[in-house]
Amino acid sequence: MAEEKKLVEEITSMEEDFAQWYTDVVKKAELVEYSSVRGCMILRPYGYAIWENIQRQLDAEFKKTGVENVYMPMFIPESLLQKEKDHVEGFAPEVAWVTHGGAEPLQERLCVRPTSETLFCEFYSNIIQSYRDLPKLYNQWCSVVRWEKTTRPFLRSMEFLWQEGHTAHATAEEAQERTIQMLNVYADFCENVLAIPMIKGKKSEKEKFAGAKETYTIEALMHDGKALQSGTSHNFGDGFARAFDIQYTDKNNQLQYVHQTSWGMSTRIIGAIIMVHGDNSGLVLPPKIAPVQIMIIPINQKKEGVLDKAYELKDRLGKDFKVKVDDSDKSPGWKFSEQEMRGIPIRIEIGPKDIQANQAVIVRRDTREKIFVSLDEIESKAAEVLEKMQSDMLERARAHRDAHTYVARNMEEFEQIINEKPGFIKAMWCMDEACENTIKEKTGATSRCMPFEQEHIDDHCVCCGKPAKVMAYWGKAY
Amino acid sequence: MAEEKKLVEEITSMEEDFAQWYTDVVKKAELVEYSSVRGCMILRPYGYAIWENIQRQLDAEFKKTGVENVYMPMFIPESLLQKEKDHVEGFAPEVAWVTHGGAEPLQERLCVRPTSETLFCEFYSNIIQSYRDLPKLYNQWCSVVRWEKTTRPFLRSMEFLWQEGHTAHATAEEAQERTIQMLNVYADFCENVLAIPMIKGKKSEKEKFAGAKETYTIEALMHDGKALQSGTSHNFGDGFARAFDIQYTDKNNQLQYVHQTSWGMSTRIIGAIIMVHGDNSGLVLPPKIAPVQIMIIPINQKKEGVLDKAYELKDRLGKDFKVKVDDSDKSPGWKFSEQEMRGIPIRIEIGPKDIQANQAVIVRRDTREKIFVSLDEIESKAAEVLEKMQSDMLERARAHRDAHTYVARNMEEFEQIINEKPGFIKAMWCMDEACENTIKEKTGATSRCMPFEQEHIDDHCVCCGKPAKVMAYWGKAY
Ligand SMILES: [Zn+2]
Ligand SMILES: [Zn+2]
């Protein structure tokens, strides 16, 4: 019992200190461990297994749209990074520089890739000659490095895992279509698999990617009312193509520049899973992404037949689900806490009395609802509960987001909301960067996106009062 | 026809210049492309797809033995790398050093991991307390960097992809068992999936891994008679544990050092696939690793019904195999060359006459055997041919290796074989490093391994004539 208390006591409650709650969960659920390399985290087996599940499912979606995987070098020569002016300005301040190989100084410094546009551009300029070579739809799964001052597990770290897709197209229309297509792949994946509803929209000029013509984003609302940019898709137009001379001969034998896109999603999204679904007992993982979906916990496991029954259930359920039996010599209470901390979607309790009654107890992680089921129909009942939990989690996250989305018509309202009600603010905007800066200075909120789903809230910019051009989402963000 | 000639003409023949043949195949089969980063290659979709297949199948084998995946930082602080003396001596001369983050010089240099023993040791020292925490069976899939002077695609490059497994155990016996277990996983995978037979054995003191107590290896023979070290498994004993203070309390509450292993296989193995199975028309891929197993090539594809039939076959065969239809407007001859260059195991030719006769022609890539099959039983026939091809390839590779394995009883024989008959040499050895050095100086051959399957060839060392302790394999190696 002392032990049981300890496990729960070690998590700070969300309401008391959300940031500390997050750090506690990440550590106690054994997702990450710190290393002696400043700002770099170790992904432990449980954290990495979540990433493997994300990777496998997202990769399959990419491939359905014709995307192929490649692997590019992790180093970028300084001269290559400098070829596109906006791009180098955006990234040079935050890259790690390799200056020596063994004992020898290098003739040219190499940066560790913060992103690989420049490498893909050089590659494309070598392999694209004719319209027959287009489109190129390449992606890579790798790690990238950004020299951040302050870091937090998953949300911001010096090195992180991600995928970066890079495509080249014959026409501007095709590039724009691909940009939106991949944004939709991300949004659908987040909703259907991670149970996180997303706002889809365009970034402002100020917030767009270094070198992009346009950046699109999916934005999610965390439990504490802060926004998290969860995936981005960029249309580069022919800007990089001109800087790197990526040309093809069209059907009329004319030289043309290609049009490019890139799009990425990273381990950051694991931070979203934690902060959207977690509670004061720890993680809550959507069934479709959970490394373990069912934990069978034998009660009175030393009684004859109990463990055998638990293993039998595991074999039966193992055909359709990822199942484990906790047959350790810890107390059931401790096992419950541990399964809750790790966010395992359902636990199945089975003891001597249950066996006698030919039943078991299914307990949902999210609602803690207890469901007594006959052992004869445990497979179908488990499937039902997991499916219900998956859709309930999405609905709950959507309800939370909608309840924390506010409308502001002037700065007074805006500031009041920011100070009293953390969440998204919908407000009209003249699209002038000056207003964006003013809002940030006064409130700490940034423009999250100009959503595809526009609403007409008012005629005037929330900040300057001039005629508004667009409705935007605003909020404090990770 | 001119085009067709061109594709084949561009490969140098193996007999003329094996190294050039290799380079040509790697490039023409579109496995890799060079980048402006010296010694770093780009893995193109076809090359990366082979790696994905290797990764998926090998990872499943690892997991069957209880291994879990993690991800460690790509940087190692200089002070951490220096903790184990032999290890740092082995690797420091060939690492890339990061000295600046953005514009700021770092207080301590970071090396880009050449291998991650030191990081895993630090991690293990943090998370292992009790015998209950053991064993730890972790693995990661990542890229590593070694500052090589000369590089060749797959065989030796500055950056390469690999997996590195790192385990910690309570006893020396358990660590030794795991070392051999993983060596067997590699050898079985190479034989069963890649159709490459392996010699399993122990490395000499001179050839072992920096910091290891013992290194075990699997060695393959390439078509040109050179050896390729294809995977290694190291037993560290408690050497790293002592250097990094990784201790646990045993059941009697006594502090004990853990015993560790590590084991790795890299994209180098793709070089082995090329050099063991390839021929003068290009790659020959074992069916179990081929990204495309069947290429359907329609003949007279403009004739009504031909393409429809080709797609119908694709749908039928696609249930069991990875199938593509080459419906491009290239000539069939060009398509044949391309399919051969890429080593696609079988092609299926189908034209108007075949359709009328309710048949198709299956052509094996390795033997070029043509097999006429009824369309009614095309699934079972394709399965049969692929299976036969897979086992024939292994048998052919084994026969080639055995035919190129020689016995030497003295240095005269040794030198004669080296000069006239490229291949493995089996010879007795006193286990003195002086003899290993002499042999290398005189012949260029190195000790490949002391095989588990020992033979008594002679009483005396092939080099010094003193009493022999062991039979070893020798050869020139990549
Ligand atoms: Zn304004
Ligand atoms: Zn000797």
Side-chain angles (χ1 to χ4, degrees):
Chain A
M1 205 52 190
E3 256 193 337
E4 278 165 47
K5 264 193 189 152
K6 199 170 145 237
L7 191 68
V8 178
E9 268 172 15
E10 280 177 27
I11 321 190
T12 308
S13 87
M14 282 188 174
E15 293 72 23
E16 191 183 317
D17 181 345
F18 193 79
Q20 190 57 47
W21 167 84
Y22 178 80
T23 310
D24 289 348
V25 168
V26 156
K27 191 77 200 295
K28 292 295 292 177
E30 299 192 346
L31 299 177
V32 307
E33 175 70 41
Y34 298 96
S35 77
S36 68
V37 193
R38 190 187 71 82
C40 292
M41 62 182 180
I42 294 167
L43 278 174
R44 299 186 70 170
Y46 199 57
Y48 195 79
I50 295 173
W51 182 240
E52 279 183 318
N53 285 345
I54 291 172
Q55 192 172 8
R56 195 185 59 250
Q57 297 179 66
L58 204 49
D59 195 68
E61 296 304 318
F62 293 163
K63 283 178 176 157
K64 278 184 204 161
T65 75
V67 170
E68 299 178 291
N69 285 334
V70 298
Y71 185 76
M72 305 294 286
M74 72 153 80
F75 296 128
I76 306 173
E78 187 163 17
S79 56
L80 192 67
L81 187 70
Q82 287 172 336
K83 277 201 167 181
E84 212 285 338
K85 204 181 114 290
D86 292 336
H87 189 68
V88 67
E89 271 177 26
F91 283 104
E94 58 175 46
V95 297
W97 290 106
V98 173
T99 58
H100 287 71
E104 307 281 313
L106 303 186
Q107 291 196 318
E108 181 181 14
R109 302 199 294 178
L110 303 172
C111 82
V112 182
R113 64 179 162 222
T115 178
S116 306
E117 275 71 15
T118 53
L119 291 165
F120 273 93
C121 283
E122 184 192 46
F123 180 32
Y124 283 150
S125 76
N126 288 332
I127 63 168
I128 294 171
Q129 273 93 42
S130 137
Y131 68 91
R132 285 197 186 84
D133 300 324
L134 295 172
K136 289 289 182 215
L137 309 172
Y138 291 169
N139 174 65
Q140 73 172 347
W141 294 91
C142 63
S143 82
V144 288
V145 168
R146 296 180 187 175
W147 214 258
E148 306 277 3
K149 295 258 183 276
T150 56
T151 63
R152 296 187 66 190
F154 297 118
L155 302 176
R156 196 171 294 277
S157 51
M158 300 257 295
E159 182 188 5
F160 57 86
L161 297 175
W162 79 345
Q163 58 67 221
E164 45 177 324
H166 297 265
T167 69
H169 304 269
T171 66
E173 294 69 36
E174 216 184 292
Q176 177 64 11
E177 259 171 47
R178 174 59 62 168
T179 309
I180 303 302
Q181 179 181 23
M182 300 319 289
L183 192 79
N184 286 329
V185 165
Y186 289 147
D188 292 347
F189 169 78
C190 289
E191 287 211 9
N192 300 336
V193 179
L194 307 183
I196 303 176
M198 290 289 166
I199 305 287
K200 296 189 275 191
K202 195 157 92 172
K203 282 283 181 192
S204 68
E205 279 298 301
K206 180 185 159 83
E207 299 285 336
K208 75 180 189 186
F209 181 83
K213 205 177 83 183
E214 277 166 355
T215 288
Y216 297 87
T217 180
I218 50 174
E219 302 277 329
L221 195 70
M222 304 298 101
H223 199 84
D224 64 346
K226 279 197 190 168
L228 188 84
Q229 176 180 306
S230 304
T232 48
S233 188
H234 316 291
N235 185 345
F236 291 124
D238 60 5
F240 274 93
R242 286 175 188 274
F244 286 83
D245 198 29
I246 315 174
Q247 288 185 292
Y248 70 96
T249 49
D250 68 13
K251 287 183 184 171
N252 305 317
N253 218 28
Q254 301 292 307
L255 272 180
Q256 304 281 359
Y257 287 106
V258 301
H259 294 75
Q260 291 172 271
T261 82
S262 83
W263 24 276
M265 183 172 270
S266 75
T267 38
R268 189 159 220 242
I269 197 69
I270 297 176
I273 299 172
I274 301 166
M275 292 194 291
V276 168
H277 299 303
D279 65 20
N280 282 333
S281 301
L283 278 182
V284 182
L285 294 179
K288 286 188 187 170
I289 210 69
V292 180
Q293 296 171 308
I294 301 173
M295 181 64 82
I296 298 172
I297 300 184
I299 311 292
N300 269 324
Q301 67 183 38
K302 279 173 188 154
K303 284 267 167 69
E304 206 192 313
V306 173
L307 274 178
D308 287 344
K309 200 56 162 183
Y311 298 138
E312 184 199 313
L313 285 185
K314 175 179 187 280
D315 289 342
R316 281 172 59 189
L317 292 162
K319 285 171 194 136
D320 301 315
F321 310 102
K322 292 173 227 154
V323 189
K324 280 193 172 176
V325 176
D326 188 345
D327 53 9
S328 67
D329 51 13
K330 297 166 190 160
S331 72
W334 177 265
K335 291 177 185 180
F336 296 165
S337 294
E338 208 163 33
Q339 166 258 336
E340 293 189 348
M341 179 68 73
R342 294 188 151 227
I344 295 168
I346 60 180
R347 72 168 180 256
I348 295 181
E349 304 172 11
I350 182 130
K353 282 180 198 157
D354 299 306
I355 295 171
Q356 219 163 18
N358 192 44
Q359 68 172 27
V361 188
I362 295 182
V363 185
R364 268 173 69 159
R365 171 64 183 87
D366 59 338
T367 57
R368 289 196 175 70
E369 186 189 352
K370 288 191 171 209
I371 306 144
F372 289 81
V373 300
S374 157
L375 292 183
D376 300 334
E377 46 177 22
I378 194 140
E379 290 97 339
S380 62
K381 284 293 176 188
E384 212 173 89
V385 172
L386 287 168
E387 210 169 300
K388 188 72 170 44
M389 179 170 166
Q390 178 82 31
S391 60
D392 285 355
M393 285 178 76
L394 175 62
E395 285 325 303
R396 209 157 40 235
R398 200 192 303 280
H400 176 269
R401 183 194 66 189
D402 293 349
H404 293 81
T405 301
Y406 307 94
V407 169
R409 285 184 180 75
N410 52 53
M411 282 311 288
E412 200 182 341
E413 284 179 16
F414 199 114
E415 288 179 80
Q416 195 187 357
I417 295 167
I418 279 288
N419 293 330
E420 293 169 16
K421 303 183 241 174
F424 277 135
I425 297 179
K426 295 194 282 192
M428 303 306 291
W429 180 34
C430 64
M431 286 183 75
D432 198 333
E433 199 168 312
C435 288
E436 220 176 346
N437 291 332
T438 305
I439 289 173
K440 186 159 187 198
E441 276 161 38
K442 285 195 180 169
T443 70
T446 51
S447 72
R448 304 314 310 151
C449 71
M450 298 172 280
F452 294 157
E453 281 186 33
Q454 281 287 314
E455 293 166 48
H456 184 81
I457 292 168
D458 202 301
D459 292 334
H460 306 288
C461 173
V462 70
C463 182
C464 67
K466 287 184 202 152
K469 289 190 181 143
V470 73
M471 187 270 275
Y473 275 84
W474 306 80
K476 292 190 181 172
Y478 280 98
Chain B
M1 205 51 193
E3 254 194 336
E4 281 167 45
K5 263 193 189 150
K6 200 170 144 242
L7 190 68
V8 177
E9 267 170 16
E10 279 176 28
I11 322 191
T12 309
S13 86
M14 278 187 177
E15 293 72 23
E16 191 184 314
D17 183 345
F18 192 80
Q20 190 58 47
W21 167 84
Y22 178 81
T23 311
D24 289 349
V25 168
V26 157
K27 192 81 199 293
K28 293 294 292 178
E30 299 191 346
L31 298 178
V32 307
E33 176 71 42
Y34 297 96
S35 78
S36 69
V37 192
R38 189 187 73 80
C40 292
M41 61 181 182
I42 294 168
L43 278 175
R44 299 185 69 169
Y46 198 58
Y48 195 78
I50 295 174
W51 181 240
E52 280 183 318
N53 285 345
I54 290 172
Q55 194 170 6
R56 194 185 60 251
Q57 296 180 64
L58 204 49
D59 194 68
E61 295 303 319
F62 293 162
K63 283 177 176 159
K64 278 184 205 164
T65 75
V67 170
E68 300 178 289
N69 285 333
V70 298
Y71 186 76
M72 305 293 287
M74 71 152 81
F75 297 129
I76 306 173
E78 187 164 16
S79 56
L80 192 65
L81 187 69
Q82 286 171 337
K83 276 202 170 180
E84 211 286 338
K85 204 182 115 288
D86 293 336
H87 189 68
V88 65
E89 272 178 23
F91 283 103
E94 57 176 45
V95 297
W97 290 106
V98 173
T99 58
H100 287 71
E104 306 282 313
L106 303 186
Q107 290 195 318
E108 181 181 14
R109 303 199 293 179
L110 303 172
C111 83
V112 182
R113 64 179 161 223
T115 179
S116 307
E117 274 73 13
T118 53
L119 291 165
F120 274 94
C121 282
E122 184 192 45
F123 180 31
Y124 284 150
S125 76
N126 287 334
I127 64 169
I128 294 171
Q129 271 93 41
S130 136
Y131 69 92
R132 286 196 186 84
D133 299 325
L134 295 173
K136 289 290 182 212
L137 309 172
Y138 291 169
N139 175 64
Q140 74 172 345
W141 294 91
C142 64
S143 82
V144 288
V145 168
R146 296 182 187 173
W147 214 258
E148 305 278 2
K149 295 259 182 274
T150 56
T151 62
R152 297 188 64 191
F154 297 118
L155 302 176
R156 195 171 293 278
S157 51
M158 301 254 296
E159 182 189 4
F160 57 87
L161 299 174
W162 79 345
Q163 57 68 219
E164 45 178 324
H166 297 264
T167 69
H169 305 269
T171 66
E173 294 68 37
E174 217 184 292
Q176 177 63 11
E177 259 171 46
R178 174 57 62 167
T179 309
I180 302 302
Q181 179 181 23
M182 299 319 288
L183 192 78
N184 286 329
V185 166
Y186 289 148
D188 292 346
F189 170 77
C190 290
E191 287 211 9
N192 301 337
V193 179
L194 308 183
I196 303 177
M198 290 289 167
I199 304 288
K200 297 189 275 192
K202 193 156 93 169
K203 283 283 185 194
S204 67
E205 279 298 300
K206 179 186 161 86
E207 299 285 336
K208 76 179 190 189
F209 181 84
K213 205 179 82 181
E214 276 166 356
T215 289
Y216 297 86
T217 180
I218 50 173
E219 300 278 328
L221 196 68
M222 304 297 102
H223 199 84
D224 64 346
K226 278 197 191 167
L228 188 85
Q229 176 181 308
S230 304
T232 48
S233 188
H234 317 291
N235 185 345
F236 292 124
D238 60 5
F240 275 91
R242 285 175 188 273
F244 286 82
D245 198 28
I246 316 173
Q247 289 185 292
Y248 70 96
T249 47
D250 67 14
K251 288 183 184 172
N252 305 318
N253 219 27
Q254 300 295 305
L255 273 180
Q256 304 281 358
Y257 287 106
V258 301
H259 293 76
Q260 291 172 272
T261 81
S262 85
W263 25 276
M265 183 173 269
S266 75
T267 38
R268 189 160 220 240
I269 198 69
I270 297 177
I273 299 172
I274 300 166
M275 292 195 290
V276 167
H277 299 304
D279 64 22
N280 281 332
S281 301
L283 278 183
V284 182
L285 293 178
K288 286 189 186 170
I289 210 70
V292 180
Q293 296 171 308
I294 300 174
M295 181 63 83
I296 298 172
I297 301 183
I299 311 293
N300 269 324
Q301 68 183 37
K302 280 172 187 153
K303 285 268 167 69
E304 204 191 316
V306 173
L307 274 178
D308 287 345
K309 199 58 167 181
Y311 298 138
E312 183 198 314
L313 285 185
K314 177 179 185 284
D315 288 343
R316 281 173 56 188
L317 291 162
K319 285 170 195 137
D320 300 316
F321 311 103
K322 294 172 225 155
V323 190
K324 280 194 171 174
V325 176
D326 188 346
D327 54 8
S328 67
D329 51 13
K330 296 166 189 160
S331 72
W334 176 265
K335 291 177 185 178
F336 295 165
S337 294
E338 210 164 31
Q339 166 258 337
E340 292 189 349
M341 179 68 74
R342 294 187 151 229
I344 295 168
I346 61 180
R347 72 169 181 255
I348 295 181
E349 305 172 13
I350 181 127
K353 283 180 199 158
D354 298 307
I355 295 171
Q356 219 162 18
N358 193 43
Q359 67 172 28
V361 189
I362 295 181
V363 185
R364 266 173 70 159
R365 170 64 183 86
D366 59 336
T367 58
R368 290 196 173 71
E369 187 189 351
K370 287 189 171 210
I371 305 145
F372 289 83
V373 300
S374 158
L375 293 183
D376 301 334
E377 44 177 23
I378 194 139
E379 290 96 338
S380 62
K381 285 292 176 188
E384 212 172 89
V385 172
L386 286 168
E387 209 169 300
K388 186 73 170 45
M389 179 171 165
Q390 179 81 31
S391 61
D392 285 356
M393 285 178 76
L394 175 61
E395 285 324 304
R396 210 156 40 236
R398 200 192 303 278
H400 176 270
R401 183 194 67 189
D402 292 349
H404 293 80
T405 301
Y406 307 95
V407 168
R409 285 184 181 75
N410 52 54
M411 282 310 289
E412 199 183 340
E413 283 179 17
F414 199 115
E415 288 179 77
Q416 196 189 354
I417 295 166
I418 281 287
N419 292 329
E420 294 168 15
K421 301 182 241 173
F424 277 136
I425 296 178
K426 296 195 281 195
M428 303 306 289
W429 180 34
C430 63
M431 287 182 74
D432 197 334
E433 199 169 312
C435 289
E436 221 176 342
N437 291 332
T438 305
I439 289 173
K440 184 156 189 201
E441 275 161 37
K442 284 194 179 167
T443 69
T446 50
S447 72
R448 303 315 309 151
C449 71
M450 298 173 279
F452 294 157
E453 282 187 33
Q454 282 287 313
E455 294 166 48
H456 184 80
I457 292 168
D458 202 301
D459 292 335
H460 304 288
C461 173
V462 69
C463 181
C464 66
K466 285 183 202 154
K469 289 190 182 143
V470 73
M471 188 269 277
Y473 275 84
W474 307 79
K476 291 188 180 174
Y478 280 97

